[in-house]
Amino acid sequence: MTYEYILARTEGRVGIVQFNRPKAMNALNRGLMSETMDALDAFDADDAIGCMVVAGNERAFAAGADIKEMAGATPAQMLDNPFIDYWDRLRKISKPVIAAVSGYALGGGCELAMACDMIVASETARFGQPEINLGIIPGAGGTQRMTLAVGKALAMEMILNGRFLTADEAYKFGLVNRVFPAEVLLEEAVKLAGELAARAPVALRLAKEAVNAVYEMSLQAGLAHERRLFYMLFSTEDQTEGMDAFINKRKANWQGK
Ligand code: CAA
């Protein structure tokens, strides 16, 4: 499959999507978002893939929604053709997705990284929700996910006053998992994705679902949901295999069943 705005490829059991609008700082227009989601959906449906990486280039992960595409829109047009649904589609991907962020991750770009399951960053990464400078607010989850990730005090500064976070700050405040030099970022992201992709596939998906339930359920409902998923895994061949492998001191051979 060839795309206009992204590059998609695989490395072992890892599916990689790289935004490819370098002249526009990878601004997220409809074409780019639609191709990204098509590629991720295809990887999600492919048994040969266990985990995905979404990346930009060294200068920009993505500088936000495409302001030039959005500038003249009316509320009715925004409602009729819901661009922001692409960020919701990302939430429905069942395999883990890692964002590899170098340079700017701003506005919708930062929201896209936060909608992934883990973020690895280069030392040059900058995270921000600068929509206030355009006379708007974040619309693809920024006010909610940033606040849950870094806490109210810092989220208020970022969203009300356009403060950017450096990679070190983002790491310190729990927004990103790991920080690497820019030259090795993609390689390290793919390595981490490869480790996840080698794990028991059904348990991996349900583990992702259970952690993400924190954002959507009360503690009581989340605990009950986790318990049901935990019991359900005792119906899989991989549970029998994993426990037998531990007891017999051998490596488990996962079947994804
Ligand atoms: N949309 C469209 N084009 C963009 C863009 C965006 N979000 N960000 C950058 N570009 C374009 C610039 O217009 C410029 O194009 P031209 O060469 O044709 O003029 C090109 O990319 C390079 O950008 P700059 O010359 O501005 O590069 P810089 O290094 O001086 O600055 C930057 C980089 C700090 C990222 C700056 O471009 C910037 O502030 N971009 C906008 C960031 C922003 O406001 N993002 C939020 C968008 S709204 C949103 O995302 C809503 C939502 O919640 C879904």
Side-chain angles (χ1 to χ4, degrees), residues 21-25 27-28 59 63-70 83-84 87 104 106-109 111 129-131 133-134 136-141 164:
R21 285 190 82 198
K23 288 192 184 129
M25 295 280 196
L28 305 167
R59 196 161 164 232
D66 190 319
I67 299 167
K68 293 166 190 165
E69 193 176 71
M70 220 169 26
F83 176 56
I84 283 171
W87 279 256
Y104 293 108
L106 302 180
E111 291 167 305
Q129 297 289 164
E131 287 89 343
N133 297 331
L134 302 168
I136 58 169
I137 67 168
F164 287 1

Side-chain angles (χ1 to χ4, degrees), residues 26 45 165 249:
N26 290 331
L165 296 187
K249 301 186 187 304

Side-chain angles (χ1 to χ4, degrees), residues 98-102 118-122 176-178 180 185 188-189 192:
I98 299 174
V101 175
S102 183
M118 297 185 196
I119 304 177
V120 294
S122 80
V176 312
N177 292 76
R178 301 182 193 181
F180 297 103
L185 175 71
E188 291 290 346
L192 177 60

